[in-house]
Amino acid sequence: MLGIIIGISSVIAIVSIGDSMKGVMDDIYKDIGKNRAYMYIYNIEDFRSTDFFFIEDIELLKDRFGDKINYLCPTEGLRSDVVVNKNTVKLQMECIDSGFDKVQHIEMLYGRMINESDVNRKSKVIVLEQNAALKIFNRENAVGKTIRVKIENNMEDLLVIGVYKNDQSPVLSLLQGQKMYEDSYVPYTMAFPQNYGFYQLDVFIADNYSVSTVGNEIISYVAKLKNREIDNYRFYTVEEDQATLNGIVGGMSIAVACIAAISLLVGGIGIMNIMLVSVTERTREIGIKKALGARTKDVLFQFLIESATLSAIGGIVGTMSGIGLVMLGGSVISLPIVVNPLSIIIAVAFSMIIGVFFGYYPAKKAAKADPIDALRYE
């Protein structure tokens, strides 16, 4: 049964890991935003500076698609070293527009989030993540404090107006590894001048509209606005990214599971060999049974049931071993494990089929044994 146990446990473990990773990806993309998309410049040979997205273009898009989009902002970020009392902290500043906290779940601990007034006035303000506030000021409530950061080769003093809690899942934190930069938010209008050209836009489509449909409308509008072809701009949705990644994970799981299933064939061949030995050792027993009236199909079913039972027990033990192995690994790396009941049923049923398939030849050989020759066998 060892081959069956190893094969089934491997298949169960691999399929469970694949399903668990899909669940993790679903949670990650749920945090990112199902109705989120990115629009960027693509494949322009005779590139012009006017092809970039400017602040006035963003305002035009907001006016044109006001009820169809929940949020629109350039995807830009800045990095700077912050020195406070000889303590240096690397800070990542994500440039956002007002309303970002409406499309992303942000739990404010102290103060407030960036609002429309901050964006319109280009206020020199910043919202720190909890860990950033602790590392810079040795306290969470840093509202009212001032930090000096480097923006476009200029040193700027930013007022801390809020501190938020990072609700990032433990799995995502594990996948990202050790963070080099602490997180924060600043108004995008403060960080860049009025004539700055942006390469990519971050767009959240309203829930009651199709992301792809609105995306095509936006591309058509921008292409006409910039006097370009539609193919010169791309609209890439988060759903497309998730589907691609899930396809890769699913394909890899199936491929590895098929490789692991080879050990099931090895286990089936082992069962066939053992049953052949069993038939040879029980030749006299078979002869006595047939002499007492056992029919050919009775002997056939007896050995088939034995073979299927061996294989089924191996399947059950292998399933338990596979689940236990995955659960143990998941607890070590804090990964939420998903075990599909259907995969367990299929695994056990497949192991029984393996037993019947490879046990048929030995059972047939036993059933065809001549009772007289069998009784004479020593």
Side-chain angles (χ1 to χ4, degrees):
M1 294 189 298
L2 189 58
I4 300 293
I5 292 173
I6 294 173
I8 292 295
S9 60
S10 301
V11 172
I12 290 290
I14 292 168
V15 172
S16 298
I17 291 173
D19 291 340
S20 300
M21 289 304 298
K22 286 182 180 179
V24 170
M25 295 303 170
D26 287 341
D27 290 340
I28 292 174
Y29 280 104
K30 184 186 294 182
D31 293 336
I32 295 174
K34 289 282 187 182
N35 58 341
R36 192 175 194 173
Y38 301 98
M39 183 178 178
Y40 57 93
I41 303 168
Y42 178 79
N43 195 25
I44 299 181
E45 295 182 359
D46 56 330
F47 188 82
R48 305 186 300 252
S49 60
T50 54
D51 293 327
F52 283 116
F53 302 107
F54 297 92
I55 293 179
E56 55 265 28
D57 297 329
I58 295 172
E59 296 303 321
L60 284 173
L61 287 171
K62 287 180 180 179
D63 292 337
R64 174 67 176 79
F65 301 95
D67 61 333
K68 295 183 179 181
I69 56 176
N70 290 333
Y71 179 82
L72 178 65
C73 182
T75 54
E76 292 286 352
L78 301 171
R79 290 178 175 179
S80 175
D81 289 343
V82 179
V83 180
V84 178
N85 298 328
K86 297 182 180 182
N87 183 28
T88 302
V89 177
K90 294 184 178 296
L91 193 64
Q92 168 75 35
M93 295 172 284
E94 184 176 351
C95 304
I96 64 170
D97 198 355
S98 59
F100 185 72
D101 54 330
K102 301 295 189 301
V103 294
Q104 292 281 272
H105 176 69
I106 299 175
E107 182 182 348
M108 298 300 300
L109 298 177
Y110 307 97
R112 62 174 177 84
M113 193 57 179
I114 293 169
N115 58 28
E116 187 175 358
S117 177
D118 297 323
V119 175
N120 293 336
R121 295 178 180 179
K122 303 181 181 180
S123 302
K124 296 181 180 180
V125 295
I126 187 170
V127 178
L128 296 176
E129 196 269 328
Q130 180 182 11
N131 291 330
L134 282 171
K135 287 187 177 182
I136 296 173
F137 299 106
N138 291 321
R139 55 185 295 186
E140 287 187 358
N141 190 358
V143 176
K145 300 287 185 178
T146 302
I147 61 174
R148 174 162 287 192
V149 299
K150 188 176 183 180
I151 299 177
E152 294 293 321
N153 297 322
N154 296 319
M155 299 304 296
E156 301 283 355
D157 291 326
L158 303 183
L159 176 67
V160 180
I161 60 171
V163 178
Y164 69 96
K165 181 180 180 181
N166 189 354
D167 287 334
Q168 192 176 81
S169 66
V171 177
L172 182 57
S173 301
L174 181 65
L175 293 175
Q176 290 180 340
Q178 185 67 31
K179 289 176 59 177
M180 292 182 60
Y181 288 84
E182 300 301 327
D183 297 325
S184 65
Y185 296 114
V186 296
Y188 83 95
T189 53
M190 179 275 296
F192 300 97
Q194 185 74 22
N195 61 347
Y196 186 87
F198 300 99
Y199 172 78
Q200 180 174 277
L201 299 180
D202 187 7
V203 187
F204 281 81
I205 306 299
D207 294 335
N208 54 334
Y209 288 93
S210 168
V211 177
S212 58
T213 301
V214 176
N216 291 332
E217 293 177 6
I218 294 176
I219 285 181
S220 299
Y221 180 78
V222 170
K224 186 177 180 180
L225 183 68
K226 299 290 185 180
N227 195 23
R228 285 292 186 182
E229 298 294 329
I230 293 177
D231 293 338
N232 293 142
Y233 294 93
R234 284 289 177 91
F235 198 82
Y236 186 67
T237 67
V238 170
E239 286 183 342
E240 292 174 353
D241 192 24
Q242 182 182 7
T244 301
L245 193 57
N246 282 342
I248 294 173
V249 173
M252 290 180 61
S253 298
I254 292 173
V256 178
C258 289
I259 294 173
I262 294 175
S263 59
L264 289 175
L265 299 178
V266 177
I269 294 171
I271 287 178
M272 181 176 66
N273 292 334
I274 291 299
M275 293 304 296
L276 284 171
V277 173
S278 178
V279 168
T280 302
E281 291 180 344
R282 296 159 66 185
T283 302
R284 190 173 182 83
E285 173 191 332
I286 295 169
I288 294 174
K289 286 184 177 181
K290 298 196 76 172
L292 292 174
R295 295 168 295 180
T296 299
K297 66 177 183 180
D298 296 329
V299 179
L300 177 66
F301 285 151
Q302 176 189 344
F303 282 89
L304 279 179
I305 290 171
E306 288 182 11
S307 176
T309 302
L310 279 174
S311 188
I313 292 173
I316 294 171
V317 175
T319 299
M320 296 173 62
S321 301
I323 295 174
L325 185 64
V326 172
M327 290 295 184
L328 179 62
S331 63
V332 171
I333 63 174
S334 300
L335 177 70
I337 297 299
V338 176
V339 180
N340 191 344
L342 182 61
S343 64
I344 297 175
I345 296 172
I346 293 175
V348 176
F350 187 68
S351 65
M352 292 183 66
I353 292 172
I354 286 285
V356 172
F357 179 80
F358 284 99
Y360 180 78
Y361 173 69
K364 191 71 173 178
K365 183 180 179 181
K368 285 185 175 181
D370 185 86
I372 297 177
D373 294 335
L375 287 171
R376 288 176 177 173
Y377 184 81
E378 292 295 336

